[in-house]
Amino acid sequence: MRTSRTAAALAVVAVLALAGCGNDKTPVTSGDQKSAKSPLAEYMGEGFVSSSGGGTFQVASRVGGAQQPSEEDLAKQRKVQDATAACMKTAGFEYVAVPPEQNAKNKFTDAFSLPPDKFAEQYGYGISTIDWSKAGADDTNPNTKIRAALSPTAQKAYDKALNGPNGGPNGTVVIQGGDDPSSTKTADPDLGCQGKAVKEVYGDGKDRQADFKKFDGLFKDIQALQKRIDSDQRVVDATSAWSDCLADAGHPGMKKIGDPRDEIQKKLDALTGTPAPSKGKPGAVLTGPPSFDKVDSAKLADLRKDEIALAVADQKCKAAKYDDAYKKVQYEQEQEFVNQNKAQLEAYRDEMANR
């Protein structure tokens, strides 16, 4: 799923994530994290990913994100559900407040827990092999059944009431952009009853946005660190060896570590009619994944076979030619970065721990 976020949208998404209302995203299966956390991950939180070959990184929404929620967290989630139900009733729709303890795990949770090589064998990269537009569906949730019983027109009205004018099924949201991301005058997106409930319980996301802004310099330094890792001659040589390995396996032309995944994504976008993002131009800020319902089933089946074959070869070539070299450089560079920026990293860790 491709996303491009302005500052305003990011603040909203952060609040939804903390409230437990966010949707699962495509898993990042690096295949080279066999031991303890990297030096930088110790400070950036559970879920930190150093993305090899792309010069990017992902940061967890809170430190210790994999831990069970506290009673305080659960209490807030209950308040969000109750407020959502009250709002939907006012809007003329039935909505059952579901206690957070009853939330069923995502249907793909078991898949995401697989080792990278096993995931590749069954799901490739999880791009064309998983219909992400249905990933949030939960047949045990009474609200899924309530919505399903409505007419198509009523379903659209239900989605609008629950998630705002750009709401879709299973919690997908499309927020249209176009404003300057740095502008403080950007209008808050309407996220419907659920968004109002989250704001009511967790507060305005703008304060969180301001809190994160003081770490802009740290984030830029981490991006620069990633580029240094990728440009290290040992990583460059390992990337070349990985590329040759893939070519020998019948997949020539892969020059960057992210190329195989990008190739599959482009092919899927062509099948679903998803336009490529326009560089430097305003557009959809946050979009839900496209549905596969209207995709040519034969072509989709062929793409899924190609994806799995490419992902399996990719994993094998990474394991044989790339992973060890990359991890060695990553840990060396990250440790040096931690030594030089420990105070700021500790401040970030403490800030996130109090979320």
Side-chain angles (χ1 to χ4, degrees), residues 269-326:
D269 287 347
L271 270 183
T272 59
T274 303
S278 300
K279 295 183 178 179
K281 296 181 180 180
V285 173
L286 180 61
T287 63
S291 172
F292 295 167
D293 290 345
K294 297 182 180 180
V295 172
D296 186 302
S297 59
K299 291 182 178 179
L300 180 60
D302 288 341
L303 178 57
R304 285 172 169 171
K305 290 179 182 178
D306 291 344
E307 177 179 344
I308 290 174
L310 178 55
V312 169
D314 186 13
Q315 285 292 335
K316 289 180 178 178
C317 288
K318 280 180 179 176
K321 304 292 184 180
Y322 180 84
D323 286 347
D324 289 343
Y326 179 84

Side-chain angles (χ1 to χ4, degrees), residues 6-15 18 180-189 203-216 219 351 355:
T6 64
L10 180 58
V12 174
V13 173
V15 176
L18 288 171
D180 179 0
S182 63
S183 173
T184 59
K185 297 181 180 180
T186 303
D188 290 337
D204 196 325
K206 290 181 179 178
D207 58 341
R208 301 179 189 279
Q209 178 184 336
D211 288 341
F212 274 105
K213 194 161 186 65
K214 63 186 177 185
F215 294 110
D216 281 353
F219 295 151
E351 179 80 27
R355 289 286 159 200

Side-chain angles (χ1 to χ4, degrees), residues 188-244:
D188 290 337
D190 179 2
L191 296 181
C193 285
Q194 183 167 261
K196 291 176 183 176
V198 169
K199 186 174 180 179
E200 178 183 318
V201 175
Y202 288 88
D204 196 325
K206 290 181 179 178
D207 58 341
R208 301 179 189 279
Q209 178 184 336
D211 288 341
F212 274 105
K213 194 161 186 65
K214 63 186 177 185
F215 294 110
D216 281 353
L218 176 63
F219 295 151
K220 289 179 181 178
D221 288 343
I222 293 177
Q223 288 178 316
L225 166 66
Q226 183 64 64
K227 291 180 180 178
R228 291 198 298 274
I229 294 173
D230 291 338
S231 62
D232 186 286
Q233 191 59 48
R234 291 168 291 178
V235 173
V236 173
D237 292 343
T239 303
S240 179
W242 161 84
S243 177
D244 291 342

Side-chain angles (χ1 to χ4, degrees), residues 60-321:
S61 61
R62 66 185 299 165
V63 173
Q67 298 174 357
Q68 292 298 317
S70 66
E71 182 54 42
E72 181 181 0
D73 294 331
L74 294 174
K76 287 183 177 180
Q77 291 178 34
R78 293 186 198 103
K79 288 182 179 179
V80 168
Q81 283 291 304
D82 290 341
T84 300
C87 177
M88 289 292 284
K89 183 177 181 180
T90 300
F93 293 100
E94 180 184 3
Y95 182 92
V96 178
V98 180
E101 299 89 340
Q102 294 181 16
N103 285 339
K105 64 181 181 180
N106 184 284
K107 65 176 70 175
F108 301 116
T109 298
D110 291 338
F112 299 154
S113 66
L114 291 172
D117 57 338
K118 298 300 182 183
F119 185 91
E121 290 174 2
Q122 295 187 44
Y123 299 97
Y125 299 106
I127 296 174
S128 69
T129 57
I130 294 176
D131 188 346
W132 288 96
S133 69
K134 295 180 173 61
D138 177 9
D139 293 337
T140 66
N141 188 322
N143 298 302
T144 302
K145 298 177 182 178
I146 291 172
R147 182 186 181 279
L150 301 174
S151 68
T153 299
Q155 286 182 355
K156 290 182 179 180
Y158 179 96
D159 294 338
K160 180 179 179 180
L162 183 61
N163 293 312
N166 299 308
N170 303 328
T172 57
V173 180
V174 178
I175 303 174
Q176 295 298 327
D179 295 319
D180 179 0
S182 63
S183 173
T184 59
K185 297 181 180 180
T186 303
D188 290 337
D190 179 2
L191 296 181
C193 285
Q194 183 167 261
K196 291 176 183 176
V198 169
K199 186 174 180 179
E200 178 183 318
V201 175
Y202 288 88
D204 196 325
K206 290 181 179 178
D207 58 341
R208 301 179 189 279
Q209 178 184 336
D211 288 341
F212 274 105
K213 194 161 186 65
K214 63 186 177 185
F215 294 110
D216 281 353
L218 176 63
F219 295 151
K220 289 179 181 178
D221 288 343
I222 293 177
Q223 288 178 316
L225 166 66
Q226 183 64 64
K227 291 180 180 178
R228 291 198 298 274
I229 294 173
D230 291 338
S231 62
D232 186 286
Q233 191 59 48
R234 291 168 291 178
V235 173
V236 173
D237 292 343
T239 303
S240 179
W242 161 84
S243 177
D244 291 342
C245 176
L246 270 182
D248 292 341
H251 305 282
M254 304 297 173
K255 301 301 181 183
K256 297 180 180 179
I257 291 295
D259 283 354
R261 183 185 291 268
D262 289 344
E263 178 177 288
I264 299 299
Q265 184 66 62
K266 289 177 182 177
K267 290 181 178 179
L268 179 64
D269 287 347
L271 270 183
T272 59
T274 303
S278 300
K279 295 183 178 179
K281 296 181 180 180
V285 173
L286 180 61
T287 63
S291 172
F292 295 167
D293 290 345
K294 297 182 180 180
V295 172
D296 186 302
S297 59
K299 291 182 178 179
L300 180 60
D302 288 341
L303 178 57
R304 285 172 169 171
K305 290 179 182 178
D306 291 344
E307 177 179 344
I308 290 174
L310 178 55
V312 169
D314 186 13
Q315 285 292 335
K316 289 180 178 178
C317 288
K318 280 180 179 176
K321 304 292 184 180

